Each structure stands twice: as structure tokens, then as C-alpha cells.
């Protein structure tokens, strides 16, 4: 399927009430949503095949859509935009509609993430080095907090711990992974940090091992970090890519019930060499 440039793409949350949907943040300023559909009718070669088809789109901005995140119920998508603004799009059976939009930052908004425990909150990070929280109960959204001092370079990614409502991670061009205590929402506390090198572009929690995080570190490959340690600990690195390390995620289900070697599988991808690698981390001690 040929499209314009894609900055981000995500499935709707597992367990949400809607069908399987794929959201796409486009370089032309659109949010597009695809549906996973089966061809069960007829006796053609495609009978029984699973395909993606576009079901809706909405023009969000004349600038580029850089990042998207679904809320837990898959009824809304938060979008970071290259002109510094943030948008929230409503998702209904009838299609997509722009619900809120506001000027949140001075430069590119690299990340815009819903709080999975408090979905009326959206966190954003930008090239202006600011880490912000926004309350969607106000229209336009009002700032719950703005941190301008912790990051010495752009904030690339923000991830809430799915198992701990008080813990959140940020990653930055300044090469640091930071752990935040969110119990004081008006003034989150940066509890600890770890230099991963190369710029922390993506952070993904393991689907079944609490506090284990996969990181894409741009110029320094990939790292798996144990975040429950008091000092944070890198438990494994992967450096077989020869270009910018950008994409990373865990296999969401085990490939085998009895074989520990197949319990953890990772997919990583890099930029200029257009390379995808599938590999098995040696993290049995963290299970």
C-alpha cells in the first residue's frame, strides 16, 4: 500500500471495545485509520485473506503529523505536530473528527501520549526541551504542568508504566532515560536517570515482565533496561544495526509455552539502511 511519508503508526489498544484499527500519522498532516478485514466471501484467491483497508481520515494540520497515541478505550487519538501544536481526534463508528487542538510547544512535538491510568491527561515532549502534561477536560486543553529544566535537549518519547500509575519514563536527544514520580501531578519528580548514549528515541515496556524496557538509542543501537533497580541497569545491548536505531518493539505473545528461549522476541529497525531485524534477548534472569 503506497502512501505519503509515515512518521508513526500504531494499532488500537488490545482489549478495547472497537475492532482492530491501525492509525497512521502522515507527513501531509492527516491522521488515517485502517481496519483489519477478512475476505471470507467467494472462491477467489483472496478468500480467507486478511487485509488492511482505509476506513477514515481527517486533515489535522497543514504541518506534519509526527506521532500518535490511542487512549485506552480507542475512542480518541492524540497527535504531535511539527509546528508545535497538539491535537486530539475523536474516533467513532461514523469516522474521525478533530476534537481539540492547541499550541503546546515552540518547536516539533515528537511525542504525545495518553496516560493509560488517567486518560483525560496527555503528555507531550518537544524539540523545545519541554515535558508537559495537559488536562483534556478543559477545551482547549490546559497545562497540568510544564517542566523546562530537566532535559537539556529535545524530548523524544514519553511512556507511562502500565503496571504502576505513579511511574513515567521520558527519553531525550540528550541521551538520558529518566524515571518520573507522577504522584504530584503539578510538579512531577525526576527520581533517577541513566545515560544510554546516542539519543533515546523510543521506549517500550515489556508486555509481561514489569519494569523491563526496550529502548531505541539512535546512534548507539538498542538497549534493554531494568527500571526497577534503584540505579537503573542495562541488562542487554544490541548493536547489529549500522544506521540510526529508530524502531523497536516486543513480540506481544510468547512463541512457545515450554521453551524459555522463545519467550522473548524483539523487532528493531534502522533508518538509512531500511533494515528490520528480529532477535531474541538473553533476559531469562529478568523473567
Amino acid at each position: 500500500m503506497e502512501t505519503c511519508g509515515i512518521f508513526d503508526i500504531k494499532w488500537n489498544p488490545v482489549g478495547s471495545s472497537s475492532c482492530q484499527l491501525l492509525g497512521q500519522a502522515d507527513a501531509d498532516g492527516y491522521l488515517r485509520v485502517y481496519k483489519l478485514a477478512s475476505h471470507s466471501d467467494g472462491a477467489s484467491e483472496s478468500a480467507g485473506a486478511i487485509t488492511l483497508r482505509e476506513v477514515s481520515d481527517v486533515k489535522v494540520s497543514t504541518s506534519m503529523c509526527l506521532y500518535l497515541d490511542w487512549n485506552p478505550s480507542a475512542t480518541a487519538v492524540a497527535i504531535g505536530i511539527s509546528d508545535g501544536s497538539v491535537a486530539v481526534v475523536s474516533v467513532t463508528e461514523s469516522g474521525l473528527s478533530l476534537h481539540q487542538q492547541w499550541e503546546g510547544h515552540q518547536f516539533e512535538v515528537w511525542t504525545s501520549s495518553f496516560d493509560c491510568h488517567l486518560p483525560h491527561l496527555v503528555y507531550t515532549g518537544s524539540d523545545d526541551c519541554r515535558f508537559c502534561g495537559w488536562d483534556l477536560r478543559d477545551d482547549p486543553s490546559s497545562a497540568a504542568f510544564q517542566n523546562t529544566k530537566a532535559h537539556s535537549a529535545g524530548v523524544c518519547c514519553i511512556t507511562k508504566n502500565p503496571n504502576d500509575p505513579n511511574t513515567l519514563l521520558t527519553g531525550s536527544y540528550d541521551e538520558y532515560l529518566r524515571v518520573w514520580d507522577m504522584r504530584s501531578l503539578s510538579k512531577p519528580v525526576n527520581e533517577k536517570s541513566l545515560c544510554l548514549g546516542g539519543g533515546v528515541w523510543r521506549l517500550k515496556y515489556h508486555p509481561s515482565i514489569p519494569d523491563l524496557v526496550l529502548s531505541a538509542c539512535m546512534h548507539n543501537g538498542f538497549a534493554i533496561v531494568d527500571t526497577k533497580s534503584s540505579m537503573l541497569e542495562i541488562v542487554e545491548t544490541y548493536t547489529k544495526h549500522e544506521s540510526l536505531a529508530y524502531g523497536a518493539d516486543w513480540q506481544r505473545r510468547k512463541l512457545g509455552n515450554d521453551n524459555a528461549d522463545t519467550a522473548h522476541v524483539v523487532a528493531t529497525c534502522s533508518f538509512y539502511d531500511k533494515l528490520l531485524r528480529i532477535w531474541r534477548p538473553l533476559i531469562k534472569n529478568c523473567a
Side-chain angles (χ1 to χ4, degrees), residues 61-126:
S61 174
T62 56
S63 299
M64 297 181 290
C65 294
L66 302 179
Y67 191 92
L68 71 90
D69 189 45
W70 297 83
N71 70 348
S73 60
T75 57
V77 176
I79 301 171
I81 304 170
S82 62
D83 64 0
S85 62
V86 187
V88 175
V89 173
S90 295
V91 182
T92 64
E93 291 184 0
S94 59
L96 306 176
S97 60
L98 187 60
H99 177 61
Q100 293 183 12
Q101 190 163 1
W102 66 96
E103 295 181 5
H105 294 269
Q106 293 178 306
F107 304 119
E108 292 91 341
V109 179
W110 294 123
T111 183
S112 54
S113 298
F114 278 99
D115 187 313
C116 55
H117 302 100
L118 299 170
H120 63 275
L121 296 175
V122 167
Y123 305 110
T124 59
S126 167

Side-chain angles (χ1 to χ4, degrees), residues 173-188:
Y173 282 128
D174 65 15
E175 305 187 355
Y176 276 86
L177 161 67
R178 291 177 172 85
V179 180
W180 296 82
D181 185 333
M182 304 301 294
R183 280 175 288 191
S184 176
L185 186 61
S186 62
K187 194 174 182 180

Side-chain angles (χ1 to χ4, degrees), residues 193-256:
S193 60
L194 177 67
C195 183
L196 298 181
V200 184
W201 181 250
R202 287 291 181 266
L203 294 167
K204 296 291 180 73
Y205 274 98
H206 192 282
S208 61
I209 302 177
D211 306 307
L212 196 67
V213 174
L214 172 65
S215 173
C217 304
M218 297 181 69
H219 297 284
N220 199 37
F222 299 86
I224 297 174
V225 182
D226 182 2
T227 62
K228 72 176 179 292
S229 168
S230 60
M231 298 300 293
L232 301 178
E233 179 184 2
I234 297 175
V235 297
E236 187 165 347
T237 58
Y238 188 81
T239 58
K240 292 186 178 181
H241 289 265
E242 297 181 357
S243 179
L244 285 171
Y246 269 154
D249 209 352
W250 302 93
Q251 170 74 13
R252 295 292 161 177
R253 60 178 176 85
K254 291 186 177 182
L255 298 183

Side-chain angles (χ1 to χ4, degrees), residues 125-184:
S126 167
D127 225 36
D128 62 9
C129 308
R130 289 194 300 157
F131 163 41
C132 300
W134 308 91
D135 192 334
L136 300 184
R137 293 173 295 186
D138 298 327
D139 189 9
S141 178
S142 62
F145 69 86
Q146 297 190 46
N147 183 289
T148 61
K149 298 179 179 180
H151 305 87
S152 60
V155 182
C156 304
C157 54
I158 299 170
T159 304
K160 188 75 180 289
N161 187 329
N163 304 301
D164 181 357
N166 299 321
T167 300
L168 178 146
L169 307 179
T170 61
S172 171
Y173 282 128
D174 65 15
E175 305 187 355
Y176 276 86
L177 161 67
R178 291 177 172 85
V179 180
W180 296 82
D181 185 333
M182 304 301 294
R183 280 175 288 191
S184 176

